Amino acid sequence: MYERSSVAELADSLRSELNRYSEGGKLPSSRALVERFRVSPVTVSRALAQLAAEGLVVTRPGAGAFRARPRTRAHATGDTSWQEVALSAEGAGDVIPRSVDATGVLGSLTAPPAGVIELNSGYLHPCLQPERALAAALARAGRRPGAWGRPPVEGLPELRDWFAREVGGALTASDVLVTAGGQSALTTALRALAPPGAPILVESPTYPGLLAIARASGCRPVPVPVDAEGVRPDLLAAAFEATGARVFVCQPLFQNPTGAVLAPGRRAEVLRIARAAGAFVVEDDYARALAHEDAGPLPLPLAAEDPDGVVVHVRSLTKAASPSLRVGALAARGPVVDRLRAIQVVDSFFVPRPLQEAALELVGAPAWPRHLKAVAAELRHRRDVLAGALRRELPAVAPAHLPTGGYQLWARLAHGSDDAFAAAALRAGVAVAPGRPYFCAEPPGPYVRLSFAGVSGAGELAEVVRRLASGLQDPL
């Protein structure tokens, strides 16, 4: 049994028995709980800590654990209906309503109901995460001199230097800011580069979290269609001319959700078009560490081939390691670095130093390249298993393009709506992501995104297709 499961089960057992004890009454000793439930002292300690956090028990060092007295409400719940008016009232100067629609993001962050297989996750399953290496890195980081002190606001110099080397080109540590993951980096970039009301060019389809950032900042996302070779330069140039936009956000490598890689002939063209428009290209390089085993040599980041400071590069360790290792970077050249730094400092001061130290320990350990190699092989295997099963059992949902990186398949439905498909899939015990949230304008058709990273293994992917085939009953 996993330790986390043991803790939860012990906490449930103790919670159900609390009525046996009077308020302030003492619970059995830790030793007695170890013997009775046949768990480790660490499990007992964590279970009691969980109950203490819930306010059900009180722990007193040297004395033991006691049933807590019930908390009394200070006052009855008030009337909050006035907030509906306050939150919906837009200011007279607001060009774009700054409402927040996080539906597309929450879909990949919310745990599905029990028994439902998660095919909409944006993160690696725990069995694919380097948990031992992370634990060792965090332990070593905590013992580093000054590990709990205040870090430089730009980030630890050694970590900034590592990110600069990863991006390549002529970038140095002075061109890099450490951020709290990729989402935070994108938020900082958009806030620094586009004022409220400004148009922002985005790939279509694109990552829903980016659309949420843009709209929450009061900006107007404008779609530029993507095909099998990435964004179309002719439409990008037309969009710059029509909107006067000064920002284009793209994912040139394993684009989310299509998996497209920007074609060699388009890379220089995209930079030339942006430079002519006096615009920045925000390069979200989210999946470089998620290349599949058969990907071959990867193209350099756009930032590595950009001497003029057109590209603001976003990189993160989160996708390849753990959802909780929220460490990323912004890399850029020129005066924009000062603007990015100012926005980040105002928002969050700095990324906690222990997390930065742990990230340094992780990427410097021999286990890191071994982990990336294992993930590359497993993601390729899962991609092939899922795509093969779809071709055999549900050809109407089989994707036209197999990506060589990332963690998802993007499929256009033969007929029917994506929402209806997602609802039918959920009834069959599978959570998928409907395609509509990936478009900031009307979609050209119904799509679904199927992620193969968040399941426990290839066997579960075969079960996914079996459930869909038997439970959808021709929803398309």
mmCIF file of all heavy atoms in Angstrom, residues 61 107 281 357 416 476:
data_model
loop_
_atom_site.group_PDB
_atom_site.id
_atom_site.type_symbol
_atom_site.label_atom_id
_atom_site.label_comp_id
_atom_site.label_asym_id
_atom_site.label_seq_id
_atom_site.Cartn_x
_atom_site.Cartn_y
_atom_site.Cartn_z
ATOM 1 N N PRO A 61 2.865 18.213 22.197
ATOM 2 C CA PRO A 61 4.143 17.520 22.265
ATOM 3 C C PRO A 61 4.409 16.966 23.665
ATOM 4 O O PRO A 61 4.286 17.689 24.668
ATOM 5 C CB PRO A 61 5.169 18.609 21.900
ATOM 6 C CG PRO A 61 4.389 19.578 21.065
ATOM 7 C CD PRO A 61 2.999 19.564 21.634
ATOM 8 N N GLY A 107 -10.765 22.055 -16.134
ATOM 9 C CA GLY A 107 -11.031 20.731 -16.665
ATOM 10 C C GLY A 107 -9.847 19.798 -16.550
ATOM 11 O O GLY A 107 -10.014 18.586 -16.370
ATOM 12 N N VAL A 281 7.218 38.056 -29.925
ATOM 13 C CA VAL A 281 6.744 36.676 -30.018
ATOM 14 C C VAL A 281 6.991 36.018 -28.663
ATOM 15 O O VAL A 281 8.138 35.916 -28.218
ATOM 16 C CB VAL A 281 7.483 35.889 -31.120
ATOM 17 C CG1 VAL A 281 7.082 34.408 -31.068
ATOM 18 C CG2 VAL A 281 7.179 36.474 -32.481
ATOM 19 N N GLU A 357 16.242 25.791 -5.045
ATOM 20 C CA GLU A 357 17.369 24.927 -4.689
ATOM 21 C C GLU A 357 17.061 23.470 -5.052
ATOM 22 O O GLU A 357 17.925 22.743 -5.549
ATOM 23 C CB GLU A 357 17.668 25.047 -3.187
ATOM 24 C CG GLU A 357 18.076 26.434 -2.708
ATOM 25 C CD GLU A 357 19.553 26.723 -2.963
ATOM 26 O OE1 GLU A 357 20.209 25.933 -3.651
ATOM 27 O OE2 GLU A 357 20.037 27.760 -2.455
ATOM 28 N N GLY A 416 -21.610 15.281 -34.776
ATOM 29 C CA GLY A 416 -21.972 15.499 -33.378
ATOM 30 C C GLY A 416 -21.136 16.610 -32.771
ATOM 31 O O GLY A 416 -20.216 17.142 -33.399
ATOM 32 N N LEU A 476 -21.468 10.168 -32.244
ATOM 33 C CA LEU A 476 -20.940 11.106 -33.244
ATOM 34 C C LEU A 476 -21.935 11.381 -34.338
ATOM 35 O O LEU A 476 -21.678 11.497 -35.460
ATOM 36 C CB LEU A 476 -19.631 10.541 -33.802
ATOM 37 C CG LEU A 476 -18.595 10.137 -32.720
ATOM 38 C CD1 LEU A 476 -17.348 9.637 -33.377
ATOM 39 C CD2 LEU A 476 -18.301 11.290 -31.793
#
